[in-house]
Amino acid sequence: MTFLIYYENKDVGLLDITPCGEGVEVAIVIADAYQGKGLGKAVALDFAPRLWKMGFKYAFAYIMPENYKALSIAKKLGAEVRCRDICIAIYRLGKEGEICQRA
């Protein structure tokens, strides 16, 4: 499923989710002109409870190693991040869908 992201009544990006077993692959894309405003983080935090209600236990995203901003956001949100040629960020969804912090 793909959802448009609106900010100040303008479409500024999209969120794409692809189910994979008990998890869901998530891709958030924000237009260059709107990056740095916290929109990606806001979308991730807003959508976590929705993903939980859809029955998913975790969400994951593929991130290019040179995308330092996205990797930083993933780590701040408590994702487990593993990198080789590409990075994978895994978010465990907790009660009511909040993103669980790493132990």
Side-chain angles (χ1 to χ4, degrees):
M1 286 191 241
T2 302
F3 302 86
L4 285 174
I5 299 169
Y6 286 91
Y7 177 71
E8 296 179 342
N9 294 322
K10 296 178 185 162
D11 53 337
V12 299
L14 61 87
L15 168 94
D16 187 73
I17 61 171
T18 305
C20 182
E22 292 183 332
V24 61
E25 179 182 348
V26 177
I28 300 171
V29 179
I30 304 295
D32 289 344
Y34 292 90
Q35 291 186 12
K37 298 181 183 294
L39 296 174
K41 181 179 177 180
V43 169
L45 292 173
D46 179 65
F47 237 80
R50 298 167 198 259
L51 296 172
W52 176 259
K53 287 178 183 174
M54 292 172 146
F56 299 111
K57 295 186 178 174
Y58 64 93
F60 62 96
Y62 294 106
I63 303 170
M64 297 303 293
E66 60 272 11
N67 190 344
Y68 299 110
K69 289 180 183 180
L71 289 171
S72 176
I73 292 169
K75 290 175 184 176
K76 285 179 185 174
L77 289 176
E80 177 185 338
V81 178
R82 299 181 203 150
C83 296
R84 284 200 178 169
D85 294 335
I86 194 163
C87 299
I88 184 168
I90 303 168
Y91 303 87
R92 306 223 184 291
L93 302 174
K95 181 180 175 193
E96 300 300 319
E98 71 269 5
I99 296 174
C100 295
Q101 297 296 315
R102 290 179 293 196

